[in-house]
PDB file of all heavy atoms in Angstrom:
ATOM      1  N   ASP N 266      62.183 223.600 152.839  1.00 95.00           N
ATOM      2  CA  ASP N 266      61.637 222.462 153.540  1.00 95.00           C
ATOM      3  C   ASP N 266      61.876 221.151 152.766  1.00 95.00           C
ATOM      4  O   ASP N 266      61.687 220.046 153.290  1.00 95.00           O
ATOM      5  CB  ASP N 266      60.164 222.624 153.896  1.00 95.00           C
ATOM      6  CG  ASP N 266      59.292 222.881 152.693  1.00 95.00           C
ATOM      7  OD1 ASP N 266      59.794 223.177 151.621  1.00 95.00           O
ATOM      8  OD2 ASP N 266      58.041 222.771 152.862  1.00 95.00           O
ATOM      9  N   CYS N 267      62.265 221.294 151.494  1.00 94.00           N
ATOM     10  CA  CYS N 267      62.653 220.105 150.700  1.00 94.00           C
ATOM     11  C   CYS N 267      64.178 219.903 150.662  1.00 94.00           C
ATOM     12  O   CYS N 267      64.642 218.798 150.836  1.00 94.00           O
ATOM     13  CB  CYS N 267      62.193 220.287 149.254  1.00 94.00           C
ATOM     14  SG  CYS N 267      60.374 220.289 149.099  1.00 94.00           S
ATOM     15  N   PHE N 268      64.941 220.998 150.397  1.00 96.00           N
ATOM     16  CA  PHE N 268      66.382 220.932 150.374  1.00 96.00           C
ATOM     17  C   PHE N 268      66.924 222.339 150.624  1.00 96.00           C
ATOM     18  O   PHE N 268      66.676 223.216 149.782  1.00 96.00           O
ATOM     19  CB  PHE N 268      66.871 220.368 149.041  1.00 96.00           C
ATOM     20  CG  PHE N 268      68.357 220.148 148.994  1.00 96.00           C
ATOM     21  CD1 PHE N 268      68.930 219.114 149.738  1.00 96.00           C
ATOM     22  CD2 PHE N 268      69.161 220.928 148.250  1.00 96.00           C
ATOM     23  CE1 PHE N 268      70.287 218.882 149.726  1.00 96.00           C
ATOM     24  CE2 PHE N 268      70.551 220.734 148.218  1.00 96.00           C
ATOM     25  CZ  PHE N 268      71.100 219.673 148.945  1.00 96.00           C
ATOM     26  N   SER N 269      67.548 222.567 151.743  1.00 98.00           N
ATOM     27  CA  SER N 269      68.050 223.860 152.088  1.00 98.00           C
ATOM     28  C   SER N 269      69.579 223.949 151.987  1.00 98.00           C
ATOM     29  O   SER N 269      70.218 222.962 151.804  1.00 98.00           O
ATOM     30  CB  SER N 269      67.658 224.173 153.556  1.00 98.00           C
ATOM     31  OG  SER N 269      68.463 223.387 154.435  1.00 98.00           O
ATOM     32  N   ILE N 270      70.096 225.156 152.155  1.00 98.00           N
ATOM     33  CA  ILE N 270      71.540 225.294 152.097  1.00 98.00           C
ATOM     34  C   ILE N 270      72.141 224.564 153.281  1.00 98.00           C
ATOM     35  O   ILE N 270      73.293 224.015 153.185  1.00 98.00           O
ATOM     36  CB  ILE N 270      71.946 226.780 152.089  1.00 98.00           C
ATOM     37  CG1 ILE N 270      73.438 226.915 151.720  1.00 98.00           C
ATOM     38  CG2 ILE N 270      71.583 227.495 153.395  1.00 98.00           C
ATOM     39  CD1 ILE N 270      73.870 228.265 151.257  1.00 98.00           C
ATOM     40  N   ASP N 271      71.469 224.441 154.424  1.00 98.00           N
ATOM     41  CA  ASP N 271      71.961 223.691 155.527  1.00 98.00           C
ATOM     42  C   ASP N 271      71.991 222.177 155.225  1.00 98.00           C
ATOM     43  O   ASP N 271      72.906 221.473 155.660  1.00 98.00           O
ATOM     44  CB  ASP N 271      71.151 223.953 156.816  1.00 98.00           C
ATOM     45  CG  ASP N 271      71.354 225.393 157.289  1.00 98.00           C
ATOM     46  OD1 ASP N 271      72.468 225.904 157.161  1.00 98.00           O
ATOM     47  OD2 ASP N 271      70.370 225.947 157.820  1.00 98.00           O
ATOM     48  N   ASP N 272      71.026 221.720 154.431  1.00 98.00           N
ATOM     49  CA  ASP N 272      71.064 220.286 153.985  1.00 98.00           C
ATOM     50  C   ASP N 272      72.282 220.061 153.106  1.00 98.00           C
ATOM     51  O   ASP N 272      72.948 219.019 153.294  1.00 98.00           O
ATOM     52  CB  ASP N 272      69.813 219.966 153.214  1.00 98.00           C
ATOM     53  CG  ASP N 272      68.525 220.045 154.074  1.00 98.00           C
ATOM     54  OD1 ASP N 272      68.619 219.715 155.291  1.00 98.00           O
ATOM     55  OD2 ASP N 272      67.476 220.374 153.505  1.00 98.00           O
ATOM     56  N   LEU N 273      72.552 220.984 152.214  1.00 98.00           N
ATOM     57  CA  LEU N 273      73.753 220.846 151.336  1.00 98.00           C
ATOM     58  C   LEU N 273      75.042 220.857 152.193  1.00 98.00           C
ATOM     59  O   LEU N 273      75.918 220.031 151.981  1.00 98.00           O
ATOM     60  CB  LEU N 273      73.797 222.011 150.337  1.00 98.00           C
ATOM     61  CG  LEU N 273      75.050 222.029 149.446  1.00 98.00           C
ATOM     62  CD1 LEU N 273      75.202 220.745 148.601  1.00 98.00           C
ATOM     63  CD2 LEU N 273      74.987 223.259 148.489  1.00 98.00           C
ATOM     64  N   ARG N 274      75.107 221.774 153.137  1.00 98.00           N
ATOM     65  CA  ARG N 274      76.336 221.855 153.975  1.00 98.00           C
ATOM     66  C   ARG N 274      76.514 220.575 154.781  1.00 98.00           C
ATOM     67  O   ARG N 274      77.624 220.180 155.068  1.00 98.00           O
ATOM     68  CB  ARG N 274      76.186 223.060 154.929  1.00 98.00           C
ATOM     69  CG  ARG N 274      77.482 223.304 155.743  1.00 98.00           C
ATOM     70  CD  ARG N 274      77.537 224.578 156.433  1.00 98.00           C
ATOM     71  NE  ARG N 274      76.280 224.918 157.124  1.00 98.00           N
ATOM     72  CZ  ARG N 274      76.097 226.090 157.756  1.00 98.00           C
ATOM     73  NH1 ARG N 274      77.060 226.976 157.805  1.00 98.00           N
ATOM     74  NH2 ARG N 274      74.998 226.308 158.363  1.00 98.00           N
ATOM     75  N   ALA N 275      75.425 219.861 155.108  1.00 98.00           N
ATOM     76  CA  ALA N 275      75.498 218.643 155.940  1.00 98.00           C
ATOM     77  C   ALA N 275      75.817 217.411 155.104  1.00 98.00           C
ATOM     78  O   ALA N 275      76.123 216.344 155.677  1.00 98.00           O
ATOM     79  CB  ALA N 275      74.164 218.446 156.644  1.00 98.00           C
ATOM     80  N   ARG N 276      75.830 217.467 153.781  1.00 97.00           N
ATOM     81  CA  ARG N 276      76.096 216.324 152.952  1.00 97.00           C
ATOM     82  C   ARG N 276      77.570 215.954 152.996  1.00 97.00           C
ATOM     83  O   ARG N 276      78.429 216.817 153.214  1.00 97.00           O
ATOM     84  CB  ARG N 276      75.735 216.631 151.462  1.00 97.00           C
ATOM     85  CG  ARG N 276      74.238 216.766 151.207  1.00 97.00           C
ATOM     86  CD  ARG N 276      73.564 215.374 151.241  1.00 97.00           C
ATOM     87  NE  ARG N 276      72.143 215.478 151.227  1.00 97.00           N
ATOM     88  CZ  ARG N 276      71.373 215.321 150.187  1.00 97.00           C
ATOM     89  NH1 ARG N 276      71.905 215.075 148.984  1.00 97.00           N
ATOM     90  NH2 ARG N 276      70.041 215.426 150.290  1.00 97.00           N
ATOM     91  N   PRO N 277      77.912 214.719 152.720  1.00 94.00           N
ATOM     92  CA  PRO N 277      79.291 214.311 152.661  1.00 94.00           C
ATOM     93  C   PRO N 277      80.030 215.178 151.620  1.00 94.00           C
ATOM     94  O   PRO N 277      79.525 215.407 150.521  1.00 94.00           O
ATOM     95  CB  PRO N 277      79.270 212.865 152.233  1.00 94.00           C
ATOM     96  CG  PRO N 277      77.919 212.339 152.718  1.00 94.00           C
ATOM     97  CD  PRO N 277      77.003 213.561 152.554  1.00 94.00           C
ATOM     98  N   LYS N 278      81.178 215.705 152.042  1.00 97.00           N
ATOM     99  CA  LYS N 278      81.992 216.606 151.156  1.00 97.00           C
ATOM    100  C   LYS N 278      81.223 217.824 150.780  1.00 97.00           C
ATOM    101  O   LYS N 278      81.686 218.579 149.892  1.00 97.00           O
ATOM    102  CB  LYS N 278      82.518 215.878 149.957  1.00 97.00           C
ATOM    103  CG  LYS N 278      83.467 214.678 150.281  1.00 97.00           C
ATOM    104  CD  LYS N 278      84.015 214.047 149.078  1.00 97.00           C
ATOM    105  CE  LYS N 278      84.849 212.837 149.436  1.00 97.00           C
ATOM    106  NZ  LYS N 278      85.414 212.186 148.255  1.00 97.00           N
ATOM    107  N   GLN N 279      80.062 218.051 151.367  1.00 98.00           N
ATOM    108  CA  GLN N 279      79.214 219.252 151.097  1.00 98.00           C
ATOM    109  C   GLN N 279      78.813 219.311 149.616  1.00 98.00           C
ATOM    110  O   GLN N 279      78.731 220.416 149.079  1.00 98.00           O
ATOM    111  CB  GLN N 279      79.893 220.523 151.596  1.00 98.00           C
ATOM    112  CG  GLN N 279      80.177 220.502 153.089  1.00 98.00           C
ATOM    113  CD  GLN N 279      80.832 221.752 153.645  1.00 98.00           C
ATOM    114  OE1 GLN N 279      81.680 222.347 152.989  1.00 98.00           O
ATOM    115  NE2 GLN N 279      80.382 222.145 154.825  1.00 98.00           N
ATOM    116  N   ILE N 280      78.611 218.173 149.019  1.00 98.00           N
ATOM    117  CA  ILE N 280      78.230 218.033 147.624  1.00 98.00           C
ATOM    118  C   ILE N 280      76.952 217.295 147.458  1.00 98.00           C
ATOM    119  O   ILE N 280      76.722 216.314 148.174  1.00 98.00           O
ATOM    120  CB  ILE N 280      79.388 217.336 146.790  1.00 98.00           C
ATOM    121  CG1 ILE N 280      80.662 218.179 146.782  1.00 98.00           C
ATOM    122  CG2 ILE N 280      78.917 217.008 145.369  1.00 98.00           C
ATOM    123  CD1 ILE N 280      81.822 217.478 146.173  1.00 98.00           C
ATOM    124  N   SER N 281      76.115 217.728 146.546  1.00 98.00           N
ATOM    125  CA  SER N 281      74.837 217.034 146.309  1.00 98.00           C
ATOM    126  C   SER N 281      74.423 217.186 144.851  1.00 98.00           C
ATOM    127  O   SER N 281      74.704 218.231 144.225  1.00 98.00           O
ATOM    128  CB  SER N 281      73.743 217.601 147.175  1.00 98.00           C
ATOM    129  OG  SER N 281      72.493 217.002 146.930  1.00 98.00           O
ATOM    130  N   PRO N 282      73.739 216.235 144.297  1.00 97.00           N
ATOM    131  CA  PRO N 282      73.081 216.459 142.979  1.00 97.00           C
ATOM    132  C   PRO N 282      71.996 217.492 143.105  1.00 97.00           C
ATOM    133  O   PRO N 282      71.327 217.570 144.144  1.00 97.00           O
ATOM    134  CB  PRO N 282      72.475 215.119 142.622  1.00 97.00           C
ATOM    135  CG  PRO N 282      73.043 214.101 143.572  1.00 97.00           C
ATOM    136  CD  PRO N 282      73.484 214.873 144.806  1.00 97.00           C
ATOM    137  N   TRP N 283      71.823 218.337 142.094  1.00 97.00           N
ATOM    138  CA  TRP N 283      70.722 219.273 142.060  1.00 97.00           C
ATOM    139  C   TRP N 283      69.674 218.612 141.174  1.00 97.00           C
ATOM    140  O   TRP N 283      69.632 218.820 139.942  1.00 97.00           O
ATOM    141  CB  TRP N 283      71.191 220.630 141.506  1.00 97.00           C
ATOM    142  CG  TRP N 283      70.226 221.700 141.789  1.00 97.00           C
ATOM    143  CD1 TRP N 283      69.160 222.098 141.015  1.00 97.00           C
ATOM    144  CD2 TRP N 283      70.175 222.538 142.985  1.00 97.00           C
ATOM    145  NE1 TRP N 283      68.456 223.087 141.646  1.00 97.00           N
ATOM    146  CE2 TRP N 283      69.081 223.388 142.832  1.00 97.00           C
ATOM    147  CE3 TRP N 283      70.950 222.610 144.099  1.00 97.00           C
ATOM    148  CZ2 TRP N 283      68.745 224.337 143.824  1.00 97.00           C
ATOM    149  CZ3 TRP N 283      70.639 223.517 145.070  1.00 97.00           C
ATOM    150  CH2 TRP N 283      69.569 224.417 144.883  1.00 97.00           C
ATOM    151  N   ASP N 284      68.853 217.761 141.750  1.00 95.00           N
ATOM    152  CA  ASP N 284      67.934 216.936 140.987  1.00 95.00           C
ATOM    153  C   ASP N 284      66.512 217.460 141.050  1.00 95.00           C
ATOM    154  O   ASP N 284      66.217 218.466 141.710  1.00 95.00           O
ATOM    155  CB  ASP N 284      67.979 215.507 141.511  1.00 95.00           C
ATOM    156  CG  ASP N 284      67.520 215.338 142.939  1.00 95.00           C
ATOM    157  OD1 ASP N 284      67.081 216.338 143.578  1.00 95.00           O
ATOM    158  OD2 ASP N 284      67.683 214.228 143.488  1.00 95.00           O
ATOM    159  N   GLY N 285      65.625 216.846 140.272  1.00 93.00           N
ATOM    160  CA  GLY N 285      64.221 217.174 140.359  1.00 93.00           C
ATOM    161  C   GLY N 285      63.741 218.320 139.521  1.00 93.00           C
ATOM    162  O   GLY N 285      62.602 218.722 139.562  1.00 93.00           O
ATOM    163  N   VAL N 286      64.638 218.924 138.744  1.00 95.00           N
ATOM    164  CA  VAL N 286      64.239 220.058 137.887  1.00 95.00           C
ATOM    165  C   VAL N 286      63.422 219.512 136.724  1.00 95.00           C
ATOM    166  O   VAL N 286      63.854 218.630 136.015  1.00 95.00           O
ATOM    167  CB  VAL N 286      65.456 220.817 137.343  1.00 95.00           C
ATOM    168  CG1 VAL N 286      65.062 221.867 136.319  1.00 95.00           C
ATOM    169  CG2 VAL N 286      66.254 221.421 138.492  1.00 95.00           C
ATOM    170  N   ARG N 287      62.174 219.988 136.614  1.00 95.00           N
ATOM    171  CA  ARG N 287      61.253 219.502 135.584  1.00 95.00           C
ATOM    172  C   ARG N 287      60.723 220.628 134.739  1.00 95.00           C
ATOM    173  O   ARG N 287      59.494 220.750 134.517  1.00 95.00           O
ATOM    174  CB  ARG N 287      60.105 218.726 136.279  1.00 95.00           C
ATOM    175  CG  ARG N 287      60.550 217.477 137.039  1.00 95.00           C
ATOM    176  CD  ARG N 287      61.213 216.434 136.086  1.00 95.00           C
ATOM    177  NE  ARG N 287      61.604 215.239 136.825  1.00 95.00           N
ATOM    178  CZ  ARG N 287      62.825 215.004 137.227  1.00 95.00           C
ATOM    179  NH1 ARG N 287      63.791 215.912 137.054  1.00 95.00           N
ATOM    180  NH2 ARG N 287      63.139 213.866 137.826  1.00 95.00           N
ATOM    181  N   ASN N 288      61.602 221.402 134.184  1.00 94.00           N
ATOM    182  CA  ASN N 288      61.315 222.459 133.285  1.00 94.00           C
ATOM    183  C   ASN N 288      62.351 222.356 132.153  1.00 94.00           C
ATOM    184  O   ASN N 288      63.571 222.311 132.463  1.00 94.00           O
ATOM    185  CB  ASN N 288      61.357 223.801 133.954  1.00 94.00           C
ATOM    186  CG  ASN N 288      61.283 224.958 132.969  1.00 94.00           C
ATOM    187  OD1 ASN N 288      62.200 225.331 132.289  1.00 94.00           O
ATOM    188  ND2 ASN N 288      60.063 225.577 132.909  1.00 94.00           N
ATOM    189  N   PHE N 289      61.926 222.318 130.915  1.00 95.00           N
ATOM    190  CA  PHE N 289      62.867 222.102 129.818  1.00 95.00           C
ATOM    191  C   PHE N 289      63.920 223.211 129.653  1.00 95.00           C
ATOM    192  O   PHE N 289      65.049 222.983 129.398  1.00 95.00           O
ATOM    193  CB  PHE N 289      62.153 221.877 128.493  1.00 95.00           C
ATOM    194  CG  PHE N 289      61.458 220.540 128.415  1.00 95.00           C
ATOM    195  CD1 PHE N 289      60.078 220.396 128.562  1.00 95.00           C
ATOM    196  CD2 PHE N 289      62.207 219.367 128.307  1.00 95.00           C
ATOM    197  CE1 PHE N 289      59.470 219.183 128.502  1.00 95.00           C
ATOM    198  CE2 PHE N 289      61.617 218.130 128.253  1.00 95.00           C
ATOM    199  CZ  PHE N 289      60.230 218.002 128.356  1.00 95.00           C
ATOM    200  N   GLN N 290      63.484 224.471 129.890  1.00 95.00           N
ATOM    201  CA  GLN N 290      64.424 225.559 129.775  1.00 95.00           C
ATOM    202  C   GLN N 290      65.521 225.469 130.820  1.00 95.00           C
ATOM    203  O   GLN N 290      66.743 225.605 130.551  1.00 95.00           O
ATOM    204  CB  GLN N 290      63.700 226.895 129.872  1.00 95.00           C
ATOM    205  CG  GLN N 290      64.567 228.079 129.584  1.00 95.00           C
ATOM    206  CD  GLN N 290      63.754 229.397 129.577  1.00 95.00           C
ATOM    207  OE1 GLN N 290      62.528 229.414 129.818  1.00 95.00           O
ATOM    208  NE2 GLN N 290      64.437 230.480 129.362  1.00 95.00           N
ATOM    209  N   ALA N 291      65.130 225.196 132.082  1.00 96.00           N
ATOM    210  CA  ALA N 291      66.097 225.041 133.165  1.00 96.00           C
ATOM    211  C   ALA N 291      66.994 223.780 132.931  1.00 96.00           C
ATOM    212  O   ALA N 291      68.178 223.797 133.117  1.00 96.00           O
ATOM    213  CB  ALA N 291      65.381 224.945 134.501  1.00 96.00           C
ATOM    214  N   ARG N 292      66.332 222.703 132.443  1.00 96.00           N
ATOM    215  CA  ARG N 292      67.084 221.486 132.119  1.00 96.00           C
ATOM    216  C   ARG N 292      68.177 221.753 131.079  1.00 96.00           C
ATOM    217  O   ARG N 292      69.324 221.310 131.216  1.00 96.00           O
ATOM    218  CB  ARG N 292      66.093 220.425 131.593  1.00 96.00           C
ATOM    219  CG  ARG N 292      66.817 219.100 131.314  1.00 96.00           C
ATOM    220  CD  ARG N 292      66.754 218.543 129.888  1.00 96.00           C
ATOM    221  NE  ARG N 292      66.380 219.266 128.760  1.00 96.00           N
ATOM    222  CZ  ARG N 292      65.651 218.748 127.790  1.00 96.00           C
ATOM    223  NH1 ARG N 292      65.141 217.538 127.882  1.00 96.00           N
ATOM    224  NH2 ARG N 292      65.392 219.485 126.705  1.00 96.00           N
TER     225      ARG N 292
END
């Protein structure tokens, strides 16, 4: 409901930043 695979597919060139990660290990 925030960002789905369909949202990614709908982006220009089907590319998007993967933003909003707020965990140091994942970062």
Side-chain angles (χ1 to χ4, degrees):
D266 58 346
C267 293
F268 186 71
S269 71
I270 194 163
D271 293 325
D272 295 328
L273 176 58
R274 185 168 46 184
R276 292 284 169 101
K278 299 183 182 180
Q279 299 181 322
I280 295 173
S281 178
W283 197 270
D284 62 6
V286 173
R287 298 297 182 262
N288 172 284
F289 287 107
Q290 188 176 359
R292 182 240 15 219

